C-alpha cells in the first residue's frame, strides 16, 4: 500500500491509498473554494448522560446529485470533484460538511473505489483489503489527535438509510467522547468480569454463538453470526476469533482472510430478499475500543482496552420484501426493540443464500 497525503483547495486533508507503490498523486484541486467554516458543537444531555452534536451547517450539504455531478467520482476535464486526480484506488478526505470538527472531533469520507456504479460487495478481494488497510491507518492517525477518544468506521448504504450520495463510500467519525453504545458494552464487560472473577464477556458470548445455530459463515480467523438478541430483522455480527481491541490489533492472517469473508457476507445480504429486489440497504459499523479509560472504570476490577473485542455489526432496516422496519414508539421512545424475524430464522435464511 502506498499512502499519499495532500490538501484540497479549502485546506482539508485528502489521502490517496494505492495498491501500486509507483502511483504518483500530484493533481491539484482547481476549484475556487473558500476555507470550510463549521458550526459543530457537542452538547451533553444531563438526564441521559449522553452527548449530541449540533451542526447546522450540514443543512447545505450536497443532496442526491445526478451521477454526472457526483462529488466522489474522480475529476475529469472541466468536471471537478472532491478528488482532484482522474483515477484512484481508495481515497479518504475530511468531510466538507462534518458533524464533528476541531475540538469536537473529526469526520472523514472514505471512497472505496472510483467506480460509481458498483458497491462494496462488487469489490475484488484486493480492493477490499486496501479499504481495510485504509480503515486501520486512519484509526491509528486519528487516535493521536488530542480531541479524539473513539474512532468509528462505518458505511451507510441505500436511500432508505438516508444516503445522499450514491457513490460507494463510507465514513469515519472521530468522537471526543466514548459513545453511549460502547459505554453500555464496557459496563456489561466490567460487571461480568467482577462477577466471574475475571472472565471476559466478549469471549463468553463468542463461545456461546459458535456452539449455537445462528452461525452464518465461518473461516479460520473470522466468524459471522446472528446474535441471540438481535435488534434488527437481519443483523449479523462479524468477529475475529482472536480478541483484539481495534483494527490495529489484527494480525496478517486475519487481514488476509477478512476480504473473502466480508464480501461473501455482503453478497448474501443482497440475496436474502430474492431475485429482482433492489439492493439491500444496510449499515455496517466497526466497534473499536476507545482510546483511554472512562472515569467509571478505574476500580481494581476495571476493564481496559484489551478487554474490548473489535467486531463489525451489519444490519438492514428491511424486514421483508418491500417493507421496512421503522423505529416507532417502543424503539424510539424507550429504546426497546421489537424484532419481527426470529434470529434463528434470519441465520437460516442467510445460510440458504450462500453463493455457489
Amino acid at each position: 500500500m502506498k499512502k499519499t497525503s495532500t490538501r484540497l483547495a479549502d485546506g482539508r486533508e485528502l489521502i490517496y491509498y494505492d495498491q501500486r507503490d509507483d502511483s504518483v498523486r500530484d493533481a491539484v484541486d482547481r476549484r475556487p473554494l473558500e476555507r470550510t467554516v463549521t458550526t459543530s458543537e457537542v452538547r451533553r444531555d444531563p438526564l441521559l448522560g449522553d452527548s449530541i452534536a449540533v451542526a447546522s451547517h450540514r443543512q447545505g450539504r450536497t443532496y442526491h446529485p445526478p451521477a454526472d455531478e457526483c462529488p466522489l467520482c474522480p475529476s475529469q476535464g472541466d468536471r471537478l470533484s472532491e478528488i482532484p486526480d482522474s483515477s484512484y484506488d481508495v481515497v479518504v478526505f475530511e468531510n466538507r460538511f462534518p458533524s464533528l470538527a476541531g475540538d469536537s472531533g473529526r469526520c472523514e469520507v472514505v471512497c472505496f473505489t472510483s467506480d460509481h456504479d458498483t458497491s462494496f460487495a462488487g469489490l475484488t478481494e484486493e480492493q477490499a483489503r486496501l479499504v481495510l488497510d485504509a480503515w486501520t491507518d486512519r484509526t491509528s492517525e486519528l487516535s493521536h489527535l488530542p480531541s479524539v477518544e473513539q474512532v468509528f468506521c462505518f458505511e451507510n448504504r441505500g436511500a432508505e438509510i438516508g444516503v445522499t450520495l450514491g457513490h460507494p463510500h463510507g465514513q469515519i467519525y472521530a468522537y471526543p467522547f466514548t459513545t453511549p453504545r460502547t459505554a453500555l458494552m464496557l459496563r456489561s464487560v466490567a460487571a461480568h468480569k467482577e462477577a466471574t472473577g475475571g472472565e471476559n464477556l466478549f469471549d463468553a458470548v463468542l463461545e456461546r454463538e459458535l456452539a449455537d445455530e445462528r452461525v452464518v459463515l465461518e473461516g479460520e480467523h473470522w466468524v459471522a453470526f446472528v446474535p441471540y438478541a438481535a435488534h434488527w430483522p437481519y443483523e449479523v455480527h462479524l468477529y475475529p476469533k482472536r480478541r483484539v481491541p481495534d483494527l490495529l490489533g489484527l494480525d496478517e492472517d486475519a487481514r488476509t482472510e477478512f476480504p473473502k469473508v466480508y464480501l461473501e457476507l455482503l453478497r448474501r445480504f443482497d440475496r436474502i430478499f430474492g431475485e429482482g429486489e433492489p439492493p439491500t440497504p444496510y449499515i455496517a459499523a466497526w466497534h473499536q475500543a476507545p482510546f483511554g479509560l472512562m472515569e467509571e472504570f478505574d476500580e481494581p476490577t476495571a476493564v481496559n482496552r484489551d478487554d474490548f473485542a473489535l467486531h463489525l455489526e451489519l444490519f438492514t432496516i428491511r424486514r421483508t420484501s418491500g417493507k421496512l422496519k421503522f423505529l416507532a414508539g417502543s424503539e424510539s421512545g424507550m429504546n426497546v426493540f421489537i424484532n419481527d424475524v426470529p434470529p434463528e430464522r434470519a441465520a437460516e435464511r442467510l445460510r440458504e443464500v450462500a453463493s455457489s
Side-chain angles (χ1 to χ4, degrees):
M1 179 188 76
K2 182 180 180 180
K3 175 183 175 183
T4 306
S5 180
T6 184
R7 292 283 171 179
L8 297 173
D10 55 7
R12 288 175 294 132
E13 185 178 19
L14 179 142
I15 306 162
Y16 294 97
Y17 293 91
D18 288 292
Q19 292 178 343
R20 292 173 56 98
D21 290 336
D22 59 354
S23 298
V24 176
R25 300 299 183 182
D26 55 7
V28 176
D29 186 3
R30 295 181 282 128
R31 297 173 297 170
L33 297 179
E34 297 181 355
R35 285 209 167 257
T36 302
V37 177
T38 64
T39 57
S40 178
E41 176 189 0
V42 173
R43 298 184 181 182
R44 187 169 179 81
D45 187 318
L47 292 178
L48 297 179
D50 58 8
S51 298
I52 63 104
V54 179
S56 59
H57 62 277
R58 285 174 53 79
Q59 286 282 32
R61 66 188 184 274
T62 308
Y63 188 79
H64 291 299
D68 60 357
E69 296 179 16
C70 174
L72 306 184
C73 287
S75 293
Q76 298 287 343
D78 293 330
R79 188 186 66 78
L80 305 179
S81 73
E82 289 280 66
I83 296 90
D85 216 324
S86 59
S87 67
Y88 65 84
D89 291 342
V90 173
V91 164
V92 176
F93 60 88
E94 287 185 77
N95 198 321
R96 191 177 179 186
F97 304 96
S99 303
L100 306 165
D103 292 339
S104 297
R106 176 159 156 151
C107 293
E108 299 181 339
V109 177
V110 183
C111 297
F112 303 139
T113 171
S114 60
D115 185 352
H116 182 88
D117 297 317
T118 189
S119 66
F120 202 119
L123 300 181
T124 65
E125 290 186 18
E126 292 75 17
Q127 289 174 306
R129 169 60 190 265
L130 187 60
V131 175
L132 175 63
D133 290 342
W135 282 331
T136 305
D137 180 72
R138 296 315 302 151
T139 297
S140 176
E141 293 292 325
L142 293 170
S143 71
H144 292 99
L145 297 180
S147 62
V148 172
E149 186 167 322
Q150 186 172 4
V151 178
F152 175 47
C153 306
F154 65 100
E155 179 192 1
N156 297 328
R157 173 183 154 181
E160 300 93 332
I161 297 293
V163 175
T164 57
L165 298 176
H167 195 102
H169 74 287
Q171 299 180 66
I172 301 176
Y173 277 21
Y175 296 103
F177 50 79
T178 296
T179 61
R181 189 173 177 86
T182 301
L184 286 174
M185 292 184 192
L186 290 170
R187 291 188 184 97
S188 296
V189 169
H192 185 84
K193 186 176 183 179
E194 182 174 15
T196 60
E199 182 182 64
N200 183 274
L201 179 58
F202 284 109
D203 291 349
V205 168
L206 188 57
E207 182 180 0
R208 173 184 176 179
E209 294 293 355
L210 280 168
D212 221 316
E213 59 183 313
R214 291 177 300 278
V215 172
V216 174
L217 59 92
E218 183 178 356
E220 183 179 355
H221 304 284
W222 293 85
V223 60
F225 57 86
V226 178
Y228 171 76
H231 289 56
W232 298 92
Y234 289 92
E235 173 183 341
V236 177
H237 293 189
L238 177 62
Y239 276 69
K241 291 184 177 179
R242 182 178 69 88
R243 173 165 46 89
V244 294
D246 53 34
L247 290 166
L248 301 170
L250 293 174
D251 60 23
E252 184 57 31
D253 288 338
R255 293 181 184 281
T256 299
E257 186 181 73
F258 170 78
K260 181 179 180 179
V261 174
Y262 187 48
L263 290 172
E264 171 62 19
L265 187 58
L266 292 179
R267 290 162 187 167
R268 292 191 192 190
F269 254 59
D270 273 344
R271 292 192 292 266
I272 52 178
F273 297 109
E275 296 292 332
E277 286 292 316
T280 301
Y282 66 72
I283 293 175
W286 281 109
H287 291 262
Q288 305 192 79
F291 295 93
L293 290 176
M294 297 172 56
E295 292 181 0
E296 55 262 50
F297 298 117
D298 56 7
E299 300 89 355
T301 56
V303 293
N304 55 50
R305 296 196 78 250
D306 291 335
D307 288 319
F308 196 86
L310 166 77
H311 64 283
L312 182 140
E313 297 185 6
L314 173 70
F315 61 90
T316 178
I317 62 171
R318 189 178 292 167
R319 56 187 174 89
T320 190
S321 179
K323 297 179 181 179
L324 300 180
K325 165 67 177 177
F326 293 101
L327 300 189
S330 185
E331 292 88 353
S332 294
M334 283 293 158
N335 200 28
V336 177
F337 276 67
I338 300 170
N339 191 349
D340 304 308
V341 180
E344 293 73 22
R345 174 53 188 155
E348 180 183 18
R349 178 61 182 149
L350 285 162
R351 290 192 297 268
E352 290 174 351
V353 296
S355 61
S356 58

